[in-house]
Amino acid sequence: MGAIGERGTPEARPDVSVVVIVYNDVERLPTAVRSVLDQTLRGVEVVIVDDCSTDGSYETARRLAAEYPERVRAYQLPENSGGCGEPRNVGIGHTVGSHVMFLDSDDVLERNACRNLLEAAERDGSDIVSGLCVRLHMDTRNKKREQWYPWLYATTRTLESVEELTDLFVWDTLSTNKLYRRDFLVENGLRFLKGMYYEDLMFIAEAYLAADRITLIPNQVYFWHVYARGPVKSVSNRRHEMVNFQHRMEIHRRIDALLAERGLDELRLAKDVKYLKHDLVLHLRDLPFRDASYRQEFAGLARDYLAGIDRAAYAEVQPVQAICAYLLEQGDWDNLLPAVDTLTNRDKISSPLAERDGRVYWCAEHLDDPSGRQVLDVTALGYHSKRLDQMFLRNVLTRYEESAGAGQSAGTVRMAGRVTNPLRTIGQDAVLTAELEFSARRRSLQSFRFPVSELRHEGEAISWEATADLARRLRPLGVIDAVWDVRLHLTADGVRTTTRLTASTPGLAEGLLPVRPRLTRLVADHIEPEVSQRGHLAFRLVTRDAAGDRIQDLVARGTHGMPGKLAKSGFRRAKKLRKDLTSGQSKLRVYDEVFSRLPVRKGTVVFESHLGKQYSDSPRAIYEEMRRQGLDFEAVWSYSGSPKGFPEDATLVRRWSLPYLRALAQAEFWVDNQSYPLKLTKRPGTTYIQTWHGSALKRMGFDEPAWKLRSKPQQDAQQRVLDRFDRFLIRSEHDVRTLAKALRLKEKVLLRVGYPRNDALVRAKRREDATGVRERGPLAAELGIPDDKRVLLYAPTFRKHGGRHGRFELPFDVERFAEEFGDRYVLLVRSHYLNHVVLPPSVRGRVIDVSAHHDVTPLYELADAMITDYSSVMFDYALLDRPMLFFTYDYEEYVHEGRGTYFDLRERAPGPVVDTEDELFGAVKALDEQALEHAAARAEFVAEFGEYDKGDAAKSVVEQFFSHWSGK
């Protein structure tokens, strides 16, 4: 392999030696080497090490060395080593540069990589300098780019130990996007494992732990070329090979031993978390495609390792990831494979679930094991609170066979399956109907439906059977609809859910079925079943004779030749045009250049509440007052999501749709409580009545620190949005001093009439004072609240960060609350409309989630007392003069680390301010005493913050702006 020679002298020593390893990659090797030779740093050498290739790679390496004798050297191993480790080790031995990098023959370096890495190394004296790696998916048309853990490289930083940044040790396990000081490698004896996959993991773990200083730079340095459809699969694309998993397990064991030897428990825990959420998941997803012997061998390798994982790691990963690991350790395949289905298809409910003691579990097994009970608890995922039409259910294919019985053609297939029925959501007596749909995967093409002949309710599942005469009914085009997906639409008592067919038994669905394409049978005359990457049954068009194969070959060559390129180019242009026409920028152009030139339609009002999410608040109150007065006008309501719950006597338009934009462009009035899309210009002939959505405790608008930090152009753009308001409703002089000032509103814009939404509260208080009776209204019966139970309403403000599962988690133990107070109170929980909360079944009937109710006002009227924090609901509810409790468990963080407040809530709150769960429960116990104690404070609070709320705000607004539409 030759000696280093004179190149090792200090005078000739390069700054960086790049070790390029190659095995049977003759075509791509020159590109990799060229990316090194073209570096802007000139003092760079290339050391090529060939792993005994058989395709001429070494000859190409030697030719490159001859072409660049001062910069390139080539070496070859006497026999193939079976991995990337040994070629890199040999390369290290032949490097003479002060620093070393590694490059694979199918990847390239960014042009400034060596310069940027070396400058950081010399500046900081670091043993390792690491930069950003970018994965380029070479098989995709646009070479899809994917940055490798970019959050690690957001800024330049230097670490004295890898323990300062656990994520670096755990996640960036590449050896190739890094520059190493050569003496550091030599002194620490850092070498790659020979003949093993995942050699990077062990090498970089040892290097991280040995380094005295590590620098990270935000520059791109390495382009990792991914060839998913290449003739030779990379290690990451051969995870189904058992040796792949064996090597991964061995590497993990060795790293664990290294961490244990050094007592690095925190790093070990972080690594265990990564193993559960990443390494294991990669292999679990392949299990449905493997036979029983593979699964058993896989489980045998995994169980021993899982037994040694810190149980605390299970609490740090997504529930389904922990569930899969636990069930694999237990060898419970009946429950594991459905869990893997959910792992692959995130929203799918794959298990019938089990409810025990008010909690929901993935399965009924293993609940006698405390660890299993904890891991299998999926209450927080809220499966139990979903309606059938919100569920994506597992539908397992149990039977597949060609059926050519009486009256059936040769292309008939009989299928059967079982649809999961979680918590028996579909009742035993439900009326069931279903149909199979075959649809071309390419959108806007054909679909065909077949009735399901047999449906049986089996408790935890709905079984079905259907016969599809594909030869007669399925009529593909034959060229552009090559793949067909299958779905089952199941309807129970009129409520429909759609499922995909999961093919979890290898080899169950096989064989060719004849079909009659509309264009020509020469291109395809049969379909055959295949299983998608997500485990769902699909069908692909094929031909079965030699002539057809030749035609298909011609078609394939045509699609890659000039005619095909022209056809593809035309299709892409059409697709891009369609995308452009529906893009935000195109819609804005249509709004400005087309709709805004249409005449304003007199008598048209567009209403919107909370960005179209609700039919509620002051816009609703104004709308209903206009209807009550019998005004002659055209009402348009904006909705986002589902139109359910919006008024039937109005025109409904989906927010940001073209009908929505046209309605806004031609409306005489806009009425909303938050803001119409910021970039829409209001026409001079349109009057914008902004009702707003609450008085201000938290700093708003230009008083917010984030707004103050914006550039002048950004602030000017924001001001133009606010200047669209023609009228802004005010309910107190406090809002004039705070909210109106923060939004820089002119005095002439302010309308001191109170909030229309609060008219009902003022009237309710007057009725109660006059009669001495508190009317609950129909909502109590609708919610099933007994007459002898008092009602508490918990209405917190918006929380930016969700809990473990991305949801708003209640800041107190709701089960404890139900246990202590459930005999006296019903707690209504209304989360902010941008948050989502899940309640456990154990509190059913005692704690009720009312977040889906559009309008909060009836909830105010129903509640005997309210618990809140910093939400503006306090200003509205105070009008009822009922007790309020303020649970400010995160007061210091919210007030001092957030955007700040206009006044100290602890000094001005018209009720107890508590910080802990025990204090909150104590305040609930003393609710009646608290009500009397804070009566005067409530009166002062209303006088200051609700002075214009007199019960006639909606009427006043209608009289000022819309009374001329009266038909009387």
Side-chain angles (χ1 to χ4, degrees):
M1 287 185 279
I4 292 176
E6 295 303 317
R7 292 177 56 83
T9 61
E11 295 78 8
R13 189 179 193 187
D15 296 306
V16 178
S17 296
V18 180
V19 177
V20 180
I21 61 171
V22 60
Y23 176 69
N24 285 353
D25 198 15
V26 64
E27 293 183 0
R28 293 180 294 203
L29 174 62
T31 302
V33 173
R34 174 61 61 187
S35 76
V36 182
L37 297 177
D38 289 344
Q39 288 289 299
T40 54
L41 180 71
R42 302 313 302 164
V44 180
E45 72 162 354
V46 183
V47 177
I48 306 174
V49 181
D50 175 71
D51 198 6
C52 201
S53 295
T54 60
D55 71 341
S57 291
Y58 182 52
E59 287 71 19
T60 298
R62 293 182 64 184
R63 189 177 69 252
L64 289 167
E67 187 176 350
Y68 303 97
E70 299 299 318
R71 303 190 65 190
V72 179
R73 287 175 290 141
Y75 304 90
Q76 185 180 44
L77 272 61
E79 60 182 9
N80 183 259
S81 67
C84 299
E86 186 61 12
R88 288 177 182 154
N89 293 337
V90 171
I92 293 172
H94 287 289
T95 58
V96 295
S98 59
H99 291 80
V100 175
M101 287 189 72
F102 303 107
L103 174 65
D104 292 345
S105 61
D106 53 350
D107 301 330
V108 295
L109 295 182
E110 194 277 334
R111 192 163 182 267
N112 298 291
C114 291
R115 177 181 297 280
N116 290 330
L117 290 166
L118 183 63
E119 286 179 354
E122 293 179 338
R123 180 189 67 235
D124 301 325
S126 296
D127 295 321
I128 304 173
V129 181
S130 188
L132 184 63
C133 171
V134 178
R135 283 164 53 100
L136 296 177
H137 295 263
M138 307 301 286
D139 297 329
T140 60
R141 181 167 57 88
N142 294 319
K143 292 185 174 54
K144 176 185 171 185
R145 298 170 61 90
E146 180 182 41
Q147 294 183 338
W148 186 257
Y149 305 117
W151 78 85
L152 296 171
Y153 298 96
T155 185
T156 299
R157 67 173 106 181
T158 297
L159 312 173
E160 300 300 324
S161 167
V162 74
E163 293 179 73
E164 296 177 22
L165 186 59
T166 303
D167 277 358
L168 180 64
F169 181 89
V170 169
W171 293 104
D172 188 359
T173 54
L174 299 178
S175 64
T176 49
N177 59 331
K178 297 170 178 62
L179 179 80
Y180 308 87
R181 189 168 56 83
R182 188 179 188 280
D183 289 346
F184 161 73
L185 297 178
V186 173
E187 291 164 5
N188 289 278
L190 292 172
R191 292 295 185 270
F192 293 87
L193 294 174
K194 180 179 179 179
M196 290 192 70
Y197 300 150
Y198 305 109
E199 70 290 332
D200 273 21
L201 273 68
M202 190 70 200
F203 173 84
I204 200 61
E206 292 179 318
Y208 279 147
L209 295 175
D212 290 328
R213 184 170 293 172
I214 303 168
T215 294
L216 308 181
I217 62 174
N219 310 78
Q220 296 179 3
V221 299
Y222 194 91
F223 294 111
W224 176 359
H225 291 172
V226 180
Y227 298 90
R229 296 192 294 269
V232 179
K233 299 294 184 183
S234 65
V235 171
S236 59
N237 285 320
R238 301 202 310 272
R239 286 189 295 269
H240 59 281
E241 297 176 1
M242 187 55 64
V243 66
N244 191 305
F245 189 59
Q246 290 171 342
H247 285 194
R248 189 187 286 270
M249 289 293 89
E250 178 60 25
I251 294 292
H252 274 284
R253 289 189 182 93
R254 295 190 186 194
I255 296 175
D256 291 344
L258 181 66
L259 296 175
E261 178 185 330
R262 302 192 180 203
L264 299 174
D265 296 336
E266 184 177 346
L267 280 181
R268 170 66 193 274
L269 175 60
K271 181 185 160 298
D272 285 348
V273 170
K274 189 245 187 176
Y275 175 81
L276 291 178
K277 72 188 330 183
H278 178 73
D279 298 72
L280 182 61
V281 165
L282 291 176
H283 292 272
L284 283 172
R285 286 175 174 161
D286 285 330
L287 284 185
F289 306 100
R290 308 298 161 218
D291 59 24
S293 61
Y294 178 95
R295 293 172 184 174
Q296 291 301 326
E297 186 176 357
F298 174 85
L301 288 170
R303 280 182 201 152
D304 290 343
Y305 187 77
L306 287 169
I309 281 185
D310 190 332
R311 305 311 291 185
Y314 283 75
E316 300 299 321
V317 301
Q318 291 296 315
V320 70
Q321 295 168 346
I323 288 168
C324 286
Y326 177 82
L327 294 174
L328 177 61
E329 188 179 357
Q330 300 300 316
D332 184 352
W333 292 98
D334 289 340
N335 288 305
L336 172 60
L337 289 177
V340 171
D341 198 0
T342 295
L343 188 71
T344 305
N345 301 277
R346 184 180 59 181
D347 297 324
K348 185 182 287 189
I349 305 176
S350 300
S351 169
L353 309 177
E355 183 178 332
R356 300 287 187 275
D357 304 320
R359 307 293 295 178
V360 177
Y361 298 92
W362 182 259
C363 57
E365 293 75 21
H366 316 294
L367 299 184
D368 55 345
D369 173 13
S371 178
R373 198 175 184 89
Q374 182 177 8
V375 169
L376 296 171
D377 190 332
V378 293
T379 308
L381 296 182
Y383 292 145
H384 59 281
S385 63
K386 290 180 177 292
R387 303 187 311 269
L388 179 62
D389 58 348
Q390 297 174 321
M391 294 180 175
F392 177 26
L393 300 176
R394 174 176 165 90
N395 183 358
V396 181
L397 187 69
T398 58
R399 179 182 175 187
Y400 179 95
E401 62 185 19
E402 285 192 61
S403 176
Q408 296 175 344
S409 66
T412 299
V413 63
R414 187 167 184 81
M415 291 184 284
R418 286 169 53 86
V419 180
T420 299
N421 185 17
L423 299 174
R424 306 201 179 204
T425 300
I426 302 173
Q428 190 74 35
D429 299 327
V431 177
L432 304 177
T433 59
E435 58 183 359
L436 277 178
E437 179 187 63
F438 288 71
S439 57
R441 183 169 294 176
R442 184 168 289 175
R443 292 185 300 175
S444 301
L445 293 178
Q446 306 177 90
S447 66
F448 299 89
R449 297 192 177 192
F450 301 86
V452 171
S453 57
E454 297 183 37
L455 280 167
R456 295 184 302 277
H457 197 303
E458 299 178 352
E460 292 186 340
I462 306 297
S463 64
W464 59 270
E465 292 186 22
T467 300
D469 189 345
L470 301 180
R472 292 182 181 176
R473 291 282 313 281
L474 190 69
R475 297 298 310 278
L477 295 174
V479 177
I480 61 175
D481 51 356
V483 181
W484 290 72
D485 293 312
V486 190
R487 293 173 175 82
L488 182 134
H489 303 290
L490 174 65
T491 302
D493 288 338
V495 180
R496 179 169 126 160
T497 186
T498 298
T499 68
R500 300 291 301 271
L501 275 58
T502 297
S504 60
T505 303
L508 175 63
E510 293 181 337
L512 293 175
L513 298 166
V515 291
R516 294 183 299 153
R518 295 178 187 271
L519 297 182
T520 173
R521 293 190 178 192
L522 291 176
V523 174
D525 59 358
H526 284 71
I527 59 172
E528 65 177 356
E530 67 176 19
V531 181
S532 71
Q533 288 185 337
R534 293 186 175 274
H536 297 139
L537 180 66
F539 288 85
R540 181 175 294 276
L541 288 172
V542 296
T543 185
R544 67 173 182 174
D545 56 35
D549 289 339
R550 288 194 297 272
I551 293 294
Q552 281 193 322
D553 183 56
L554 288 172
V555 170
R557 278 187 284 168
T559 57
H560 289 90
M562 185 54 66
K565 290 180 179 179
L566 290 174
K568 289 179 180 178
S569 176
F571 173 76
R572 288 167 186 159
R573 284 198 300 270
K575 186 176 180 181
K576 183 178 185 299
L577 177 61
R578 180 180 178 182
K579 183 177 180 180
D580 289 344
L581 288 175
T582 57
S583 69
Q585 289 301 319
S586 294
K587 287 181 177 179
L588 283 174
R589 287 197 300 272
V590 172
Y591 177 85
D592 291 332
E593 299 173 13
V594 180
F595 294 157
S596 292
R597 296 181 181 181
L598 298 175
V600 170
R601 295 168 61 185
K602 295 296 184 180
T604 301
V605 187
V606 179
F607 297 89
E608 184 172 290
S609 178
H610 293 305
L611 308 178
K613 296 181 183 294
Q614 297 177 356
Y615 170 57
S616 66
D617 214 76
S618 292
R620 173 177 180 171
I622 293 172
Y623 169 76
E624 293 181 349
E625 177 64 21
M626 294 171 72
R627 288 297 191 205
R628 189 189 66 78
Q629 292 189 22
L631 302 186
D632 182 15
F633 70 105
E634 181 181 350
V636 179
W637 267 94
S638 153
Y639 72 92
S640 174
S642 171
K644 184 178 180 180
F646 284 82
E648 296 180 358
D649 56 355
T651 300
L652 305 184
V653 292
R654 185 182 297 277
R655 197 173 197 268
W656 203 236
S657 67
L658 290 176
Y660 170 80
L661 297 177
R662 178 168 181 163
L664 285 174
Q666 293 191 269
E668 185 177 357
F669 286 90
W670 292 358
V671 179
D672 95 311
N673 66 351
Q674 198 152 338
S675 180
Y676 287 109
L678 305 184
K679 295 182 179 180
L680 298 185
T681 303
K682 183 182 70 69
R683 299 173 67 178
T686 301
T687 299
Y688 190 166
I689 301 175
Q690 173 57 254
T691 69
W692 205 242
H693 52 275
S695 295
L697 166 64
K698 302 177 285 290
R699 292 191 178 275
M700 304 291 294
F702 290 99
D703 288 344
E704 293 183 48
W707 281 40
K708 293 178 179 179
L709 294 175
R710 293 178 182 177
S711 65
K712 188 176 185 305
Q714 289 175 322
Q715 291 190 7
D716 290 344
Q718 187 64 44
Q719 188 62 56
R720 285 192 294 273
V721 170
L722 299 173
D723 288 344
R724 295 182 301 176
F725 303 159
D726 294 297
R727 291 291 187 273
F728 188 91
L729 271 54
I730 292 293
R731 61 183 306 226
S732 72
E733 289 303 309
H734 164 78
D735 285 351
V736 175
R737 297 188 298 270
T738 56
L739 182 58
K741 182 181 177 183
L743 299 181
R744 297 178 180 174
L745 302 177
K746 297 179 175 63
E747 174 64 31
K748 67 179 182 180
V749 173
L750 306 183
L751 193 62
R752 292 172 170 82
V753 296
Y755 282 169
R757 72 183 186 193
N758 289 337
D759 291 347
L761 302 180
V762 175
R763 291 195 295 265
K765 176 65 169 61
R766 288 174 182 167
R767 285 196 304 269
E768 188 175 336
D769 289 344
T771 64
V773 177
R774 181 173 300 170
E775 298 179 4
R776 283 192 163 189
L779 184 57
E782 180 186 326
L783 296 175
I785 299 175
D787 293 338
D788 62 343
K789 297 284 184 70
R790 300 175 72 183
V791 179
L792 298 180
L793 174 63
Y794 177 51
T797 193
F798 170 68
R799 286 301 192 280
K800 188 172 184 179
H801 303 292
R804 175 186 168 197
H805 311 303
R807 294 180 172 88
F808 171 67
E809 295 185 355
L810 293 175
F812 57 89
D813 187 339
V814 69
E815 291 179 294
R816 178 190 168 194
F817 189 99
E819 186 67 27
E820 291 195 22
F821 302 109
D823 59 335
R824 289 164 284 166
Y825 293 103
V826 171
L827 178 67
L828 306 181
V829 177
R830 182 180 174 83
S831 62
H832 189 277
Y833 68 93
L834 293 177
N835 288 136
H836 178 63
V837 69
V838 171
L839 299 175
S842 58
V843 302
R844 191 180 289 126
R846 296 175 292 175
V847 183
I848 303 173
D849 180 11
V850 292
S851 304
H853 284 251
H854 279 235
D855 201 345
V856 71
T857 301
L859 299 172
Y860 290 152
E861 295 184 57
L862 177 59
D864 296 289
M866 185 172 71
I867 304 169
T868 186
D869 44 19
Y870 322 99
S871 173
S872 63
V873 299
M874 69 177 77
F875 301 106
D876 303 324
Y877 190 78
L879 296 169
L880 293 169
D881 191 27
R882 299 176 191 173
M884 283 190 284
L885 308 178
F886 297 84
F887 186 30
T888 58
Y889 57 93
D890 55 353
Y891 187 85
E892 295 300 324
E893 175 186 353
Y894 195 91
V895 172
H896 299 298
E897 296 181 22
R899 60 199 212 199
T901 60
Y902 286 115
F903 61 86
D904 190 334
L905 180 63
R906 288 177 169 172
E907 293 180 0
R908 308 278 288 280
V913 179
V914 297
D915 297 328
T916 67
E917 180 178 296
D918 288 340
E919 290 176 349
L920 173 64
F921 288 10
V924 172
K925 290 177 182 177
L927 190 62
D928 293 334
E929 293 87 340
Q930 300 285 3
L932 293 173
E933 181 181 339
H934 290 86
R938 289 197 301 275
E940 292 176 7
F941 196 78
V942 171
E944 179 171 2
F945 299 109
E947 58 185 300
Y948 299 130
D949 281 323
K950 303 300 182 183
D952 59 355
K955 184 177 180 182
S956 177
V957 171
V958 172
E959 287 179 349
Q960 292 187 53
F961 297 98
F962 308 113
S963 59
H964 60 287
W965 294 341
S966 174
K968 299 179 182 178

